[in-house]
Amino acid sequence: MEQIEVFDDLYQFNTYHEQINLSFNQYLLLGAEPMLIHTGNSAHVIELLPKLKGILGTQPLVYIFVSHFEGDECGGLEFIMKYFPQAKIICSEVTARQLQGFGFKYLTLIKKPGDVFETADYNLKFIGYPSEMHLWEGLLALENSRGLLFSSDLFIRMGKLDEAIVSSIWEEEVQVITPSQIPSPTAIKALQQELLGQSVNYIIPGHGPVLKV
């Protein structure tokens, strides 16, 4: 697992899986109330934990954002919570029910599309994300003050991470969301319209490099 300082207050943790030619990212957003974006799966989290401790020191992890219910987004949640039991899980109502169904009884802060979550250091707006093949209600998170879009499984790049940040064009990225990511033409169109109405400067994806747009 590679640790990358994307910005002064944002770290990326990247693991490349050669057999599927895809990298997996988790992020730590710092401030007075640090937030982990995704836990990685049960293997990723073992490498992730000491890196989190090394960056946080004595500071607690306050929030964990789970964009949707899938192994690489929340598979390491139980392990993380053993060391940061006070952390609150931020997720959609559907994701909260799925976590409860698998026996996770942690404090969750349920957010809906359009909700805003503000701390002293960052301001997140949540965008509805019909995730994966079942179109489960997930969430994307846009950090409004700098235009950082935590985009989950959208806007991914295959292959090994060669550069931490690469340039792209926002409108082109939005237009090429595929049915394999969201298997509903109606849902794709609605999400594209929603995204194009946002002010995005960087795409912070679940897979591949950060995209400067």
Side-chain angles (χ1 to χ4, degrees):
M1 177 178 286
E2 185 178 4
Q3 177 177 307
I4 300 166
E5 185 176 349
V6 182
F7 304 113
D8 289 345
D9 62 346
L10 181 65
Y11 283 84
Q12 179 191 69
F13 309 97
N14 176 270
T15 305
Y16 176 63
H17 291 259
E18 185 175 4
Q19 64 271 30
I20 57 174
N21 193 33
L22 185 66
S23 65
F24 292 77
N25 300 325
Q26 299 84 47
Y27 297 93
L28 179 63
L29 183 60
L30 295 173
E33 300 176 273
M35 177 183 292
L36 176 66
I37 292 90
H38 298 158
T39 66
N41 63 29
S42 58
H44 298 147
V45 74
I46 294 171
E47 294 187 66
L48 175 65
L49 181 65
K51 295 182 183 297
L52 292 180
K53 288 183 171 181
I55 296 169
L56 291 171
T58 58
Q59 189 177 19
L61 180 66
V62 179
Y63 303 109
I64 302 172
F65 174 57
V66 176
S67 65
H68 66 282
F69 188 80
E70 194 177 9
D72 55 304
E73 279 70 33
C74 57
L77 187 56
E78 187 169 14
F79 187 82
I80 285 286
M81 294 302 290
K82 289 179 181 178
Y83 296 90
F84 299 104
Q86 75 291 331
K88 302 175 183 69
I89 315 303
I90 298 176
C91 62
S92 71
E93 184 177 2
V94 169
T95 300
R97 290 204 306 266
Q98 290 167 318
L99 290 171
Q100 291 169 3
F102 278 80
F104 299 119
K105 301 183 188 295
Y106 308 122
L107 179 59
T108 56
L109 302 179
I110 294 175
K111 299 300 176 182
K112 298 178 181 178
D115 283 355
V116 173
F117 181 75
E118 189 169 6
T119 73
D121 302 287
Y122 49 84
N123 179 296
L124 297 178
K125 175 184 177 181
F126 297 101
I127 299 168
Y129 169 43
S131 61
E132 304 307 318
M133 66 182 70
H134 298 296
L135 300 179
W136 286 328
E137 178 194 62
L139 295 170
L140 308 179
L142 176 63
E143 204 290 299
N144 281 308
S145 62
R146 289 181 291 170
L148 309 179
L149 178 66
F150 293 93
S151 64
S152 191
D153 287 343
L154 297 177
F155 317 119
I156 69 174
R157 293 286 191 278
M158 302 296 292
K160 192 173 183 179
L161 197 70
D162 294 319
E163 297 179 79
I165 301 177
V166 300
S167 295
S168 189
I169 299 172
W170 173 235
E171 292 77 11
E172 292 183 2
E173 291 290 340
V174 173
Q175 291 303 327
V176 296
I177 296 173
T178 67
S180 65
Q181 295 168 301
I182 301 176
S184 164
T186 302
I188 288 178
K189 184 175 181 180
L191 180 59
Q192 287 172 327
Q193 290 176 342
E194 174 74 14
L195 290 173
L196 289 173
Q198 309 302 319
S199 179
V200 175
N201 297 318
Y202 290 88
I203 297 171
I204 316 294
H207 307 275
V210 169
L211 304 175
K212 186 179 187 301
V213 295

